[in-house]
């Protein structure tokens, strides 16, 4: 059972990591940037990064549902 939980975590992490990299590229291309007020010189950073986190969460949940239905 532990390998199932680890695989769910791994799928969610990889999906979040990839979605974050893609979102950073898209946000820079579409000029969806804001000033980072917590750093000196206020660099521009992409906004709405929660989209990538939500994609990872949904991927993990769907992987769990699919695994529990078709494997068990």
């Amino acid at each position: 059972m532990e390998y199932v939980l680890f695989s769910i975590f791994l799928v969610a992490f990889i999906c979040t990591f990839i979605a974050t990299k893609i979102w950073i590229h898209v946000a820079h291309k579409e000029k969806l940037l804001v000033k980072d007020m917590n750093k000196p010189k206020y660099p521009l950073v992409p906004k709405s990064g929660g989209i990538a986190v939500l994609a990872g969460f949904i991927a993990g949940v769907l992987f769990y549902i699919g695994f529990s239905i078709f494997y068990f």
Side-chain angles (χ1 to χ4, degrees):
M1 186 65 178
E2 293 175 4
Y3 65 92
V4 174
L5 296 176
F6 180 72
S7 64
I8 293 167
F9 168 76
L10 194 63
V11 166
F13 176 77
I14 290 171
C15 183
T16 303
F17 187 76
I18 292 170
T20 302
K21 293 288 184 184
I22 292 170
W23 178 249
I24 289 171
H25 177 70
V26 169
H28 280 284
K29 183 179 173 184
E30 298 294 327
K31 308 258 191 291
L32 297 171
L33 305 171
V34 294
K35 291 180 184 177
D36 188 355
M37 298 296 192
N38 297 316
K39 294 182 182 167
K41 299 184 183 176
Y42 304 116
L44 294 175
V45 295
K47 62 180 178 177
S48 298
I51 294 171
V53 175
L54 183 63
F57 175 75
I58 290 172
V61 169
L62 289 177
F63 183 77
Y64 170 72
I65 291 171
F67 196 84
S68 65
I69 289 174
F70 294 114
Y71 186 73
F72 296 120

